[in-house]
Amino acid sequence: MIMGAGVAGTVAGIALKQAGYDPVVYEAYDASAGLAHGVYLTVAVNGLDALRAVDAHHPVLAAGFPTNSIDFFSGTGRRLGAIPLGPVLSDGTTTNTIRRADLYGGLYDEAVRRGVPIEHGKRMTSARELPGGGVRVEFADGTHAEGDLLVGADGIHSATRTAIDPAAPGPRYTGLGNVGGFAQVDDVAALGARYAMIWGKRCFFGYTVSPDGEVWWFANPPSRAERPRTELGAMTDAQVRAELAELLSVDRGPATRIVAGTPHELRITNQYDLPTVPRWHSRSMVVIGDAAHAVSPASGQGASLAAEDAVTLAHCLREVPGVPAALEEYERRRRARVERVVAWGASMSSAKQAGPVARAVRDMVLPLVFRRSGSPEAMARMSWLFDHHVAPVPVG
Ligand SMILES: Cc1cc2nc3c(=O)[nH]c(=O)nc-3n(C[C@H](O)[C@H](O)[C@H](O)COP(=O)(O)OP(=O)(O)OC[C@H]3O[C@@H](n4cnc5c(N)ncnc54)[C@H](O)[C@@H]3O)c2cc1C
């Protein structure tokens, strides 16, 4: 039983099916939440490698476009430097940027095409292990299900995480909000396969230009205190735009024109991460993806790690006899890596919230850092992140 039809859930469905099991995916919403929320994301080369292990990388490569580096600017318009978004794989594949709806929809369709059943309107409310083995879950609609294994792919507010450990920590607010969109702006130059990111005086802003000329952007309005979800939900489109205009108008660059050229409604959400979850599994329940370790969106790695988790879990279940021992092995293979990525993502997030003094230091130091980060030595230092490889899942 897999809870959640996001990236982790659909890829786990595909991987477990390929490994010879009979997974069923249960999703709380009528359609996957990913189809309704969010704008776009990057799938890094390590995420594409994991999807390739189950031959599910095609939807990303077909609907996405290559984005292989980021150019950074200060709010005054000074170019601070560039960093690569991972290496180019031997077949020419690079990190891709893709609409969230296309990523989730593509993986969802692939799971269905491979015969993975996905049941909607099934919000898990509780789960308990059965004395004779296996797990029973209860759904909000009054129904229940039983299976040998519960895979919690139910996102950052995971109910599976709490079923495994009622004292499990919840998400941590990163000090930033997030808002983004797709804009038509005539005078923004094409960037090739690059992002431009501006460390503005009041707000971090990033964008890229798709091959058909649409500007894909995001902004991170900072707020020391977490803004209540009800407050953010009640903001009108006009209020969001007014807030962004106030934050972005003090910087040079196209940010305010890009926001003004966005035809659809804008919504601010809080950004969270989830650094250390002490218990990832019990005897027959396990969490994967954001349910186990949400990385800050600043890392651009959440979807990629979710795919790595899902495929690694299938390997462990195939290779290690007995579910409890397989879950042990899954944690052994994954924990150190994902916690290193979470820590790296958190450091990127905090750098976005600098005050005036820290900003001045940052703008002086960053060019030196970036000059070094494009070097072969710097690329080699990041190989732990991007060169991670998962072997193809054997067909069971
Ligand atoms: C603004 C923003 C930008 C981001 N940018 C990037 C990026 O550029 N690159 C990147 O790799 N990552 C990015 N991420 C992170 C990425 O979106 C997540 O890490 C990734 O989607 C995790 O997938 P998941 O399947 O674990 O969780 P989710 O995508 O959250 O899926 C969980 C699913 O479980 C369902 N569910 C929840 N509770 C229950 C329940 N009780 N019962 C049944 N079903 C349930 C939900 O409806 C949902 O469909 C970003 C995140 C945000 C918020």
Side-chain angles (χ1 to χ4, degrees):
M1 301 178 291
I2 300 170
M3 291 304 135
V7 174
T10 49
V11 179
I14 292 168
L16 290 177
K17 185 86 184 173
Q18 181 158 320
Y21 301 98
D22 292 313
V24 179
V25 178
Y26 298 95
E27 166 56 46
Y29 287 94
D30 286 344
S32 162
L35 292 175
H37 302 303
V39 188
Y40 62 91
L41 27 76
T42 54
V43 182
V45 278
N46 50 297
L48 288 165
D49 173 85
L51 292 174
R52 201 187 292 267
V54 286
D55 205 24
H57 54 300
H58 307 288
V60 181
L61 295 177
F65 60 91
T67 33
N68 46 33
S69 60
I70 307 175
D71 287 309
F72 286 103
F73 299 87
S74 70
T76 59
R78 187 159 75 99
R79 187 173 181 278
L80 300 172
I83 56 165
L85 273 173
V88 179
L89 301 184
S90 53
D91 65 355
T93 302
T94 64
T95 291
N96 264 243
T97 293
I98 180 169
R99 280 178 189 262
R100 207 176 177 88
D102 287 340
L103 175 64
Y104 280 64
L107 293 173
Y108 184 100
D109 291 346
E110 189 62 22
V112 171
R113 196 179 67 76
R114 308 238 189 138
V116 178
I118 304 182
E119 295 192 20
H120 287 276
K122 296 287 178 192
R123 176 171 294 279
M124 189 189 95
T125 50
S126 65
R128 68 183 163 87
E129 287 177 335
L130 300 169
V135 185
R136 175 183 166 111
V137 302
E138 310 288 336
F139 296 109
D141 65 359
T143 60
H144 70 272
E146 289 183 8
D148 300 323
L149 169 66
L150 167 60
V151 179
D154 45 356
I156 194 160
H157 303 286
S158 169
T160 311
R161 190 170 65 234
T162 348
I164 292 171
D165 178 8
R172 175 177 72 175
Y173 173 59
T174 63
L176 296 172
N178 192 84
V179 53
F182 303 105
Q184 298 292 343
V185 194
D186 292 338
D187 53 349
V188 171
L191 299 176
R194 305 172 82 85
Y195 273 91
M197 296 201 186
I198 301 157
W199 303 82
K201 288 192 189 68
R202 298 179 184 161
C203 182
F204 191 86
F205 185 87
Y207 70 98
T208 188
V209 182
S210 74
D212 58 5
E214 196 171 46
V215 181
W216 296 21
W217 65 273
F218 71 91
N220 294 136
S223 167
R224 219 172 268 281
E226 182 176 352
R227 296 159 83 176
R229 274 206 230 179
T230 44
E231 177 192 312
L232 293 175
M235 280 179 86
T236 63
D237 179 57
Q239 286 170 326
V240 175
R241 285 170 190 269
E243 179 173 324
L244 288 176
E246 204 263 321
L247 291 170
L248 299 171
S249 59
V250 291
D251 297 320
R252 293 189 66 173
T256 50
R257 278 181 291 125
I258 291 174
V259 175
T262 306
H264 57 80
E265 196 182 345
L266 301 180
R267 204 165 63 99
I268 300 177
T269 52
N270 288 320
Q271 273 191 8
Y272 301 95
D273 67 5
L274 183 62
T276 298
V277 172
R279 290 191 63 199
W280 278 13
H281 66 88
S282 57
R283 197 190 60 209
S284 335
M285 303 194 275
V286 64
V287 277
I288 64 172
D290 274 14
H293 50 68
V295 289
S296 157
S299 71
Q301 280 284 337
S304 298
L305 291 185
E308 287 181 14
D309 281 356
V311 173
T312 305
L313 179 64
H315 271 295
C316 293
L317 287 165
R318 277 261 322 199
E319 290 163 21
V320 181
V323 169
L327 301 186
E328 240 359 285
E329 175 63 12
Y330 160 75
E331 177 169 356
R332 197 192 62 74
R333 290 190 197 175
R334 296 299 296 158
R335 187 181 275 282
R337 170 170 174 75
V338 300
E339 291 189 352
R340 192 171 176 191
V341 184
V342 173
W344 178 69
S347 68
M348 311 258 291
S349 246
S350 61
K352 290 181 177 179
Q353 304 161 53
V357 176
R359 213 166 46 228
V361 174
R362 183 189 66 200
D363 291 357
M364 268 189 325
V365 171
L366 277 183
L368 298 172
V369 175
F370 287 139
R371 216 167 294 148
R372 292 205 196 109
S373 62
S375 67
E377 299 79 37
M379 285 293 285
R381 271 201 301 279
M382 289 309 286
S383 68
W384 67 270
L385 178 60
F386 295 116
D387 293 346
H388 186 265
H389 175 62
V390 191
V393 174
V395 176

